[in-house]
Amino acid sequence: MPKFILGIDVGTTSVKAVLLAADSRTVAVASCSLFGIQAKEQDPGLIINALNRCLAQLPRDKLQHVSRVALTGQMHGVLFWTPVEWLLNYLSHSNRDFFTPRDTSQLVTWQDGRCSSDFLSSLPKPESHLGLSTGFGCATIFWYMKHSPEFLENFTVAGTIQDYVVSMLCGLDTCMMTPQNAASWGFFNTATNLWNENILKAAGFPVRLLPRCVPSGALVGQTCSAWHGVPAGTPVGAALGDFQCSVYSCMSAPADAVLNISTSAQLTFAMPADFEPPDSPQPESSISYFPYFDSSYLSVAASLNGGNVLATFVDTLTAWMKELGAELSDSCMYEKLIGCALNQETSDLTVSPTILGERHNPLCLGQVSNISTSNLSLGHVFRALCRGIVSNIVSMMPVERLQQAGVGRILGSGSALTRNEVLRQEVERAFPLEVVYGQNADSAVGAAMVLSDRL
Ligand SMILES: *[C@@H]1O[C@H](CO)[C@@H](O)[C@H](O)[C@H]1NC(C)=O
Ligand SMILES: *[C@@H]1O[C@H](CO)[C@@H](O)[C@H](O)[C@H]1NC(C)=O
Ligand SMILES: *[C@@H]1O[C@H](CO)[C@@H](O)[C@H](O)[C@H]1NC(C)=O
Ligand SMILES: CC(=O)N[C@H]1CO[C@H](CO)[C@@H](O)[C@@H]1O
């Protein structure tokens, strides 16, 4: 019987598990929605329950031949727990396939909005190239420290939800965190792979809660008992960041860039091995550098405006039509808009689609310009909107930057892109590079591939 790698992605809206064969083929996939779960604070019990339901859907005969378990998940968030009580509870549980965590806090996710910009600017300056936002683990811990210090006293360990799953599977009494997740918490220096412990200590931060750092791609333990058929003693990798795993799943050559357009849009490529990021945060830059593997970095332009802009356009048209007494379903509307815009090959109408602003420039909102009497058809408007989405991401990551870094190919991914031929045409026009589609980015697959490549 061949061996498999189990890849698990603990996402914000769903949990996904895949079984990857030795030749990197995905042989089984299961996904469980976290429907209805609140976005800002999530109950880890519901997440672990979804994880267990997901594993129960995978073929048990294949799970019995799993040789490695790889975890990834939503970055930035923080969960607190107390290993002693929790471990006793877990280890004494009669059927760990259906274990439900107690003695943990809620998971405060990346979408949590408790830290105002005033609060964030009252915190010390991190010694890192990455800044701090609300929803980042260290910002949330600072918030508890100021608003509810007795809450923190109840816990001795903190980590992301995917780190918690690793501790649970391996029965660890600490949290082991990779630089990928640590960087997403803030106050972590990726050049030294150390927390800004002195800065944090001086500000009264409970540094005892900081996880121990281990390299991305490392194994940190072994399953402490059989779990849904996965044998006891199976090595488990330290949890990785979902963004890095998503990139890893489709970037097959160092000269590839990944353009992912789903709800939002990202353009990413790997920097040359000798690249070092700046020493301080650059809030006005449209490009961020995320730690990847073996001290390399990803260069990322992350736009808030992607498929959600097209969805807003469709919703607006639907609302207008309703006011006018007509109705059309969303899918029918998309199909017709794409049809109109395919017949309108170019347009001199200009749409700047940043209706949500951008992180580096939050107040620069959308605009429509160069309107004339003859370029107002739906075909013109939809064509111009699609071109605007692509131009915006290109303005954040200019083509010359890709070329300087030796990027030779763009891998197109994401549902908004693969389902919309007009958007694909605009991507192919905007980049003087080969554009290929097919390998869709998938974090659970990426996590499994990381461990498979290190066997
Ligand atoms: C801390 O734990 C105790 C005992 O479990 C509990 O009664 C109390 O409410 C907790 N405090 C906070 C602030 O969560
Ligand atoms: C693609 O977009 C999805 C959804 O926004 C995100 O989870 C994933 O990390 C992105 N992947 C890449 C490679 O940009
Ligand atoms: C505006 O439209 C005119 C007429 O079609 C065209 O010549 C011009 O290049 C357009 N300007 C911009 C900024 O797109
Ligand atoms: C592409 C296209 O049809 N552009 C038209 C937009 O409007 C101007 C001004 O009326 C026309 O000259 C263009 O032909």
Side-chain angles (χ1 to χ4, degrees):
M1 185 80 180
K3 293 282 187 190
F4 302 101
I5 298 197
L6 173 62
I8 297 171
D9 176 22
V10 189
T12 315
T13 55
S14 67
V15 175
K16 184 168 182 183
V18 302
L19 282 170
L20 199 75
D23 58 2
S24 284
R25 243 174 347 108
T26 304
V27 294
V29 182
S31 164
C32 282
S33 162
L34 295 170
F35 25 36
I37 193 165
Q38 230 200 63
K40 295 181 176 178
E41 280 196 25
Q42 299 187 330
D43 176 354
L46 293 178
I47 298 175
I48 301 302
N49 182 274
L51 171 64
N52 283 324
R53 279 188 286 125
C54 208
L55 265 287
Q57 284 174 30
L58 291 176
R60 213 172 165 96
D61 59 328
K62 291 200 169 65
L63 286 169
Q64 283 162 349
H65 290 89
V66 162
S67 62
R68 293 269 191 281
V69 182
L71 262 299
T72 183
Q74 44 172 309
M75 290 154 73
H76 310 296
V78 56
L79 171 75
F80 302 91
W81 67 95
T82 306
V84 181
E85 287 156 50
W86 164 79
L87 267 180
L88 280 177
N89 179 357
Y90 177 61
L91 296 174
S92 65
H93 206 266
S94 57
N95 182 352
R96 282 179 220 158
D97 291 2
F98 292 97
F99 170 73
T100 303
R102 276 176 282 147
D103 312 316
T104 71
S105 71
Q106 295 286 94
L107 167 66
V108 181
T109 74
W110 58 279
Q111 285 167 307
D112 185 81
R114 74 187 64 206
C115 300
S116 64
S117 50
D118 281 349
F119 179 80
L120 292 171
S121 53
S122 75
L123 301 179
K125 296 278 156 285
E127 202 181 283
S128 166
H129 72 285
L130 294 162
L132 205 62
S133 294
T134 184
F136 282 26
C138 283
T140 305
I141 297 176
F142 263 121
W143 188 93
Y144 277 117
M145 189 189 106
K146 298 257 160 89
H147 295 93
S148 178
E150 67 288 356
F151 167 85
L152 292 177
E153 279 161 22
N154 272 2
F155 302 103
T156 55
V157 180
T160 66
I161 181 74
Q162 56 273 26
D163 295 319
Y164 174 79
V165 174
V166 169
S167 293
M168 178 183 101
L169 293 180
C170 302
L172 302 178
D173 59 4
T174 54
C175 174
M176 313 270 232
M177 198 185 243
T178 59
Q180 297 183 354
N181 285 314
S184 80
W185 270 21
F187 292 99
F188 183 81
N189 189 306
T190 57
T192 56
N193 282 335
L194 295 170
W195 296 102
N196 295 168
E197 212 165 315
N198 292 335
I199 295 172
L200 291 170
K201 225 181 236 163
F205 184 98
V207 291
R208 65 186 173 83
L209 289 173
L210 292 173
R212 270 177 51 197
C213 186
V214 290
S216 300
L219 299 174
V220 284
Q222 302 182 337
T223 48
C224 59
S225 69
W227 183 58
H228 296 278
V230 175
T234 305
V236 179
L240 300 164
D242 56 0
F243 181 72
Q244 286 88 343
C245 287
S246 168
V247 171
Y248 199 91
S249 70
C250 54
M251 196 154 72
S252 47
D256 286 343
V258 181
L259 174 63
N260 181 44
I261 310 184
S262 49
T263 306
S264 51
Q266 302 85 22
L267 180 56
T268 311
F269 62 88
M271 292 300 284
D274 58 358
F275 169 81
E276 283 173 24
D279 350 311
S280 58
Q282 320 273 307
E284 266 118 62
S285 169
S286 56
I287 297 179
S288 321
Y289 300 102
F290 285 13
Y292 198 40
F293 292 94
D294 306 319
S295 71
S296 72
Y297 288 85
L298 292 175
S299 175
V300 186
S303 167
L304 301 174
N305 300 279
N308 48 7
V309 172
L310 298 177
T312 303
F313 181 64
V314 166
D315 289 348
T316 307
L317 279 183
T318 306
W320 284 357
M321 285 172 56
K322 212 167 186 178
E323 284 181 60
L324 296 170
E327 265 178 65
L328 201 63
S329 74
D330 276 7
S331 58
C332 192
M333 182 94 84
Y334 267 108
E335 201 179 303
K336 286 201 177 346
L337 286 170
I338 290 174
C340 291
L342 285 174
N343 289 329
Q344 182 61 53
E345 280 185 27
T346 60
S347 176
D348 41 29
L349 185 69
T350 305
V351 176
S352 167
T354 51
I355 53 177
L356 297 167
E358 290 294 1
R359 288 191 191 91
H360 65 284
N361 197 358
L363 299 179
C364 181
L365 301 180
Q367 283 181 3
V368 180
S369 57
N370 222 32
I371 305 169
S372 66
T373 47
S374 55
N375 61 18
L376 270 176
S377 68
L378 274 180
H380 273 279
V381 175
F382 198 70
R383 170 68 65 183
L385 190 55
C386 290
R387 195 184 59 222
I389 291 172
V390 179
S391 310
N392 177 53
I393 191 119
V394 171
S395 76
M396 292 174 66
M397 176 80 84
V399 171
E400 302 80 68
R401 282 225 186 200
L402 297 175
Q403 286 170 327
Q404 274 160 18
V407 169
R409 208 165 66 142
I410 306 273
L411 308 177
S413 165
S415 53
L417 185 59
T418 47
R419 286 199 220 130
N420 181 340
E421 191 179 341
V422 182
L423 203 51
R424 289 202 302 275
Q425 287 178 344
E426 294 302 330
V427 167
E428 288 153 27
R429 283 178 191 167
F431 295 97
L433 298 169
E434 186 193 358
V435 183
V436 297
Y437 308 94
Q439 181 75 358
N440 243 331
D442 184 311
S443 306
V445 171
M449 284 169 66
V450 170
L451 291 194
S452 167
D453 288 348
R454 281 155 197 256
L455 271 179

